């Protein structure tokens, strides 16, 4: 993969709106055929970044290369990226069919091909029978699917999708995700996908880029961002995590009087150990090792159960997820227990 | 109840200033000189009246098409041009509002008449030998009316253009559509309500024009409003004039109702 040229390369890209810095120093390489997800809280600059990739927003600082050529200030037409906008941007005066056919007509495809392709796309997004409606006659989720169909229809080499499933219910969202994954595998299109939904990001993408306050926090494959988040923000943004104040002495870290020997000594700035709820384990009742905690609540979640704990030493809250089947009857609110974790599951911030 | 109370001065004013004289006119059209519908049958049976009606429709249609077609790029410049262009266009739209229709008609007269600016200029350059007839005919009337009405077409167009979502245009650009295609297939259709609204406003307005056709038509291109005036003051026939007024009013009303019913029109 490293031998190939990146489809898109951003070099220290930044964007100002007046005096407000919406994005700063974002660098990344997006490989051809990659499925890259931009993930981050609202206002973190995901749409801004996507609009700059597409050529719809001017770049304030930095460079943008497409297939190795400098396209920092090239117009959108010359990039030829497909884009699905957050607000859908459907043509209000055209029917669903005409909307989907528009990019195909621009490409001057033969009439019969356009007709077939439009029908296929309408079926794909589950809107058969709605082809003659105008966007104003469709629900939000239906409009969103039309926008998706329109973006997919003309098979651009790079597709930029801004929260394409945000208005869909869970079932439909799952179906659309499967479709998108299938299309990605089949066509080899490069996808840059924006979402708020972390499980969607982890499930779909080959890599995830996490943004916060206009900065790229981490760019890695889903396992790495979840298991080895590079910052506390990333760790807390993706799923739940217990962050415990710790004292470090070389590789030895102490939380209360429970000590864990890390594979290597952390940086001098380290103050906390963080552990995912599912990586914590209840120690046997007789055990003398582990962090003493009191159970404050027990939440049944089906196959899994979640215990809410409070550390005996300083009262800091913890959560632990375990298989419901493994829970003993002693794990009731009010009881004292000990929890432990493996050194390799410790994240240091 | 209190709402009605608040509105009552306005209602009173409208009643006294419009409704009362209007019903007077309506009444006259069926009572002068004697009760009956003879004024209407005389009006509709008169070939002169019909030729005036046809001319009025023809001129107003021309004016409407020209005014809207010319106002469209003007509005685009006003909304999308750079700052200098916008100020300039805004002045060009606003200044005519401050000038009386009379002085504007005279202005056109001095430009277009046989010994006016344009003709003497063209003659002195040797481009033409004989002066072109640009007034005392429908050409002059159309020019004068169009000039007056363009600013009125600008506002409905501007409001429609402002409501076009920029992202829709971006989306079309991103798909590689040419500027021409985006303009004709996306932008113009998306401003259709403004086009219809502007056309409607201009057309209805133009039907009742009096001063411009009188001055620039020079008594040759008589339109319906001038005909009514002539029936009142030259050959006093108040009953016929009243019948013509009523016909004009009713047909404009019917036209408006039909159009508004057909399309959800925006004129603001
Ligand atoms: N045209 C603009 N003018 C001024 N500020 C803007 C403009 N567009 C975006 N911003 C600001 O830039 C920041 C990033 O916005 P952006 O739309 O990229 O966020 P986002 O990550 O896409 O958020 P969301 O998930 O809510 O869509 C925000 O603080 C926003 O207010
Ligand atoms: Mg956004």
């Amino acid at each position: 993969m490293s031998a190939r040229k990146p489809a898109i390369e951003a070099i220290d890209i930044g964007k100002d709106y007046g005096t407000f810095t919406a994005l700063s120093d974002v660098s990344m390489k997006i490989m051809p055929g990659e499925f890259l997800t931009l993930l981050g809280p609202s206002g973190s600059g995901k749409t801004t970044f996507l609009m700059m990739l597409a050529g719809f927003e001017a770049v304030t600082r930095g460079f943008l290369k497409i297939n190795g050529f400098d396209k920092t200030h090239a117009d959108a037409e010359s990039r030829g990226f497909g884009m699905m906008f957050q607000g859908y941007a459907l043509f209000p005066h055209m029917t669903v069919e005409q909307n989907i056919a528009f990019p195909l007509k621009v490409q001057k495809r033969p009439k019969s091909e356009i007709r077939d392709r439009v029908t296929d796309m309408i079926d794909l997004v589950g809107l058969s029978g709605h082809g003659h409606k105008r966007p104003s006659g469709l629900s939000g989720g239906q409009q969103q699917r039309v926008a998706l169909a329109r973006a997919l229809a003309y098979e651009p080499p790079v597709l930029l999708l801004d929260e394409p499933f945000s208005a869909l219910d869970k079932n439909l969202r799952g179906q659309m995700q499967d479709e998108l994954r299938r299309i990605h595998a089949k066509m080899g299109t490069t996808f840059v996908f924006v979402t708020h939904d972390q499980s969607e990001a982890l499930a779909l993408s080959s890599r995830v880029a996490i943004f916060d306050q206009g900065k790229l926090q981490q760019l890695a494959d889903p396992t790495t961002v979840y298991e080895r988040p590079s910052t506390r923000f990333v760790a807390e943004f993706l799923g739940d995590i217990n962050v415990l104040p710790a004292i470090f002495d070389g590789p030895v870290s102490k939380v209360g009087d429970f000590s864990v020997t890390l594979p290597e000594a952390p940086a001098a700035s380290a103050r906390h150990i963080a552990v995912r709820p599912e990586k914590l384990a209840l120690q046997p009742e007789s055990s003398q090792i582990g962090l003493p905690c009191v159970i404050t609540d027990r939440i049944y979640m089906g196959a899994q159960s979640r215990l809410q704990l409070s550390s005996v030493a300083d009262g800091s809250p913890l959560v632990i997820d375990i298989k419901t089947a493994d829970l003993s009857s002693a794990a009731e609110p009010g009881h004292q227990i000990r929890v432990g974790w493996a050194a390799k599951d410790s994240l240091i911030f | 109840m209190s709402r009605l109370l608040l509105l009552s001065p306005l209602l009173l004013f409208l009643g006294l200033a419009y409704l009362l004289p209007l019903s007077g006119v309506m009444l006259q059209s069926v009572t002068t000189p004697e009760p009956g519908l003879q004024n209407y049958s005389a009006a509709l049976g008169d070939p002169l009246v019909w030729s005036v009606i046809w001319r009025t429709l023809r001129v107003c249609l021309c004016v409407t098409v020209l005014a809207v077609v010319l106002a469209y790029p003007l509005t685009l410049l006003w909304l999308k041009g750079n700052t200098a262009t916008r100020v300039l266009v805004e002045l060009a739209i606003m200044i005519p509002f401050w000038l009386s229709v009379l002085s504007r008609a005279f202005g056109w007269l001095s430009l277009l008449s046989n010994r006016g600016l344009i003709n003497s200029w063209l003659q002195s350059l040797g481009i033409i030998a004989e002066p072109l007839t640009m007034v005392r005919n429908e050409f002059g009337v159309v020019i004068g009316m169009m000039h007056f009405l363009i600013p009125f077409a600008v506002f409905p167009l501007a409001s429609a253009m402002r409501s076009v979502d920029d992202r829709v245009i971006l989306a079309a650009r991103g798909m590689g559509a040419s500027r021409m295609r985006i303009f004709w297939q996306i932008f113009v259709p998306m401003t259709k309500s403004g086009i219809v609204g502007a056309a409607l406003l201009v057309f209805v307005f133009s039907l009742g024009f009096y001063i411009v056709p009188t001055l620039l038509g020079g008594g040759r291109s008589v339109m319906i409003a001038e005909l009514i005036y002539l029936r009142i003051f030259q050959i006093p026939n108040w009953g016929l004039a009243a019948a013509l007024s009523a016909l004009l009013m009713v047909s404009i009303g019917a036209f408006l109702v039909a159009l508004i019913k057909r399309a959800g029109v925006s004129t603001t």
Side-chain angles (χ1 to χ4, degrees):
Chain A
M1 186 155 136
S2 58
R4 288 193 294 169
K5 261 191 293 188
I8 304 172
E9 182 174 6
I11 304 160
D12 294 328
I13 288 266
K15 175 74 190 176
D16 294 344
Y17 290 110
T19 56
F20 175 76
T21 302
L23 212 62
S24 51
D25 304 324
V26 175
S27 296
M28 67 170 75
K29 290 180 180 160
I30 304 172
M31 290 298 166
E34 182 164 18
F35 197 131
L36 178 78
T37 298
L38 313 181
L39 185 64
S42 184
S44 56
K46 307 179 298 289
T47 298
T48 305
F49 185 61
L50 213 60
M51 296 290 271
M52 289 198 293
L53 291 186
F56 294 138
E57 283 286 4
V59 174
T60 316
R61 287 176 301 278
F63 302 96
L64 194 68
K65 286 187 182 171
I66 294 169
N67 297 324
F69 297 104
D70 181 14
K71 294 270 185 180
T72 314
H73 301 292
D75 55 13
E77 291 86 338
S78 76
R79 303 184 192 200
F81 291 177
M83 169 115 187
M84 178 181 162
F85 288 80
Q86 200 165 9
Y88 319 147
L90 296 175
F91 305 127
H93 58 292
M94 296 187 192
T95 64
V96 169
E97 284 173 355
Q98 289 166 335
N99 262 282
I100 300 173
F102 184 82
L104 301 169
K105 283 188 188 146
V106 169
Q107 293 184 340
K108 301 207 165 53
R109 303 223 190 157
K111 275 218 169 61
S112 60
E113 187 194 325
I114 294 180
R115 209 175 37 240
D116 294 347
R117 187 103 190 108
V118 167
T119 320
D120 288 351
M121 295 316 297
I122 289 182
D123 285 346
L124 181 79
V125 297
L127 286 176
S128 324
H130 298 278
H132 293 289
K133 290 190 187 166
R134 297 269 168 93
S136 57
L138 298 175
S139 73
Q142 289 171 333
Q143 290 180 28
Q144 196 165 34
R145 284 181 278 157
V146 177
L148 183 64
R150 189 179 64 176
L152 291 173
Y154 66 110
E155 299 159 283
V158 176
L159 246 178
L160 311 173
L161 304 162
D162 200 345
E163 303 198 19
F165 306 141
S166 58
L168 306 183
D169 58 57
K170 198 155 170 276
N171 283 337
L172 205 51
R173 187 183 262 251
Q175 273 175 33
M176 289 293 119
Q177 287 170 354
D178 290 344
E179 282 302 341
L180 206 61
R181 219 189 339 238
R182 209 175 51 74
I183 290 169
H184 178 248
K186 199 175 92 191
M187 312 221 253
T189 310
T190 309
F191 279 93
V192 183
F193 181 97
V194 173
T195 182
H196 270 131
D197 181 336
Q198 30 164 307
S199 55
E200 186 169 280
L202 298 177
L204 285 176
S205 6
S206 52
R207 286 194 302 162
V208 183
I210 293 164
F211 284 76
D212 184 39
Q213 300 185 357
K215 292 212 170 63
L216 178 60
Q217 302 288 326
Q218 188 171 12
L219 172 57
D221 60 90
T223 320
T224 307
V225 288
Y226 186 76
E227 308 268 345
R228 311 253 43 112
S230 62
T231 66
R232 184 169 170 180
F233 170 81
V234 175
E236 290 182 322
F237 187 70
L238 288 176
D240 295 311
I241 198 155
N242 298 295
V243 181
L244 305 163
I247 295 163
F248 297 94
D249 180 14
V252 180
S253 64
K254 287 186 80 121
V255 178
D257 49 8
F258 176 57
S259 71
V260 176
T261 306
L262 302 167
E264 55 190 278
S269 60
R271 294 285 178 275
H272 298 91
I273 278 193
V275 194
R276 297 263 179 223
E278 69 276 14
K279 305 282 179 173
L280 287 176
L282 289 180
Q283 301 297 96
E285 273 161 73
S286 57
S287 170
Q288 290 306 304
I289 50 168
L291 185 68
C293 294
V294 177
I295 300 177
T296 55
D297 202 0
R298 174 174 166 165
I299 303 154
Y300 175 71
M301 298 189 303
Q304 291 258 314
S305 283
R306 166 164 290 192
L307 297 183
Q308 290 185 334
L309 314 171
S310 150
S311 146
V312 171
D314 60 359
S316 37
L318 284 89
V319 290
I320 165 169
D321 288 344
I322 21 187
K323 283 214 194 87
T324 305
D326 294 350
L327 270 181
S328 72
S329 56
E332 287 299 332
H335 286 209
Q336 186 168 333
I337 45 142
R338 282 174 183 267
V339 293
W341 62 89
K344 69 173 173 56
D345 294 327
S346 311
L347 303 166
I348 313 297
F349 300 114
Chain B
M1 190 61 219
S2 66
R3 238 193 296 171
L4 211 62
L5 213 67
L6 277 174
L7 271 176
S8 58
L10 182 66
L11 292 177
L12 196 70
F13 173 77
L14 286 177
L16 287 178
Y18 287 97
L19 218 53
L20 210 63
L22 204 63
S23 22
V25 169
M26 292 297 216
L27 203 64
Q28 274 196 349
S29 74
V30 287
T31 55
T32 315
E34 57 201 44
L37 289 174
Q38 72 280 10
N39 282 324
Y40 287 91
S41 56
L44 293 175
D46 184 350
L48 175 72
V49 169
W50 277 109
S51 79
V52 168
I53 288 177
W54 286 132
R55 178 182 298 118
T56 306
L57 287 179
R58 191 166 60 229
V59 168
C60 291
L61 224 59
C62 278
V63 166
T64 304
V65 171
L66 283 172
V68 174
V69 166
L70 292 176
Y72 203 88
L74 190 72
T75 316
L76 263 179
L77 277 180
W78 184 36
L79 297 182
K80 315 266 175 195
N82 58 31
T83 321
T85 319
R86 279 148 90 149
V87 170
L88 214 66
V89 172
E90 197 159 321
L91 281 177
I93 298 169
M94 294 313 291
I95 288 178
F97 271 119
W98 303 329
L99 298 177
S100 95
V101 65
L102 204 59
S103 48
R104 285 207 262 164
F106 276 119
W108 278 112
L109 213 52
S110 66
L111 272 177
L112 299 176
S113 67
N114 283 2
R115 280 182 296 170
L117 275 175
I118 293 179
N119 270 321
S120 46
W121 183 65
L122 288 175
Q123 274 173 313
S124 68
L125 282 177
I127 296 175
I128 52 168
E130 291 298 307
L132 299 173
T133 320
M134 292 183 288
V135 285
R136 294 168 67 76
N137 59 13
E138 286 178 20
F139 178 81
V141 177
V142 168
I143 294 281
M145 283 173 66
M146 179 192 81
H147 177 237
F148 185 86
L149 288 167
I150 284 176
F152 292 90
V154 164
F155 294 102
L157 288 175
S159 93
M161 286 183 194
R162 280 203 193 94
S163 66
V164 172
D165 182 354
D166 285 337
R167 280 176 309 188
V168 174
I169 307 296
L170 288 184
R173 270 182 51 200
M175 292 168 200
S178 65
R179 282 176 191 261
M180 273 299 169
R181 187 189 280 269
I182 293 177
F183 181 74
W184 288 110
Q185 296 188 4
I186 310 284
F187 192 76
V188 171
M190 281 178 77
T191 54
K192 194 179 120 208
S193 69
I195 296 173
V196 176
L200 209 61
L201 195 69
V202 170
F203 185 70
V204 168
F205 224 156
S206 67
L207 284 176
F209 258 48
Y210 169 68
I211 292 173
V212 177
T214 308
L215 286 179
L216 292 171
R220 295 214 201 162
S221 295
V222 174
M223 286 182 31
I224 188 83
E226 193 181 353
L227 185 70
I228 294 171
Y229 170 86
L230 293 175
R231 286 292 172 277
I232 297 175
F233 291 101
Q234 286 191 342
I235 345 167
N237 187 343
W238 285 53
L240 192 67
L244 283 173
S245 309
L247 284 174
L248 179 64
M249 214 168 56
V250 170
S251 45
I252 291 180
F255 173 72
L256 277 181
V257 169
L259 261 178
I260 289 170
K261 271 204 174 148
R262 265 205 60 163
V265 181
S266 94
T267 45
T268 46

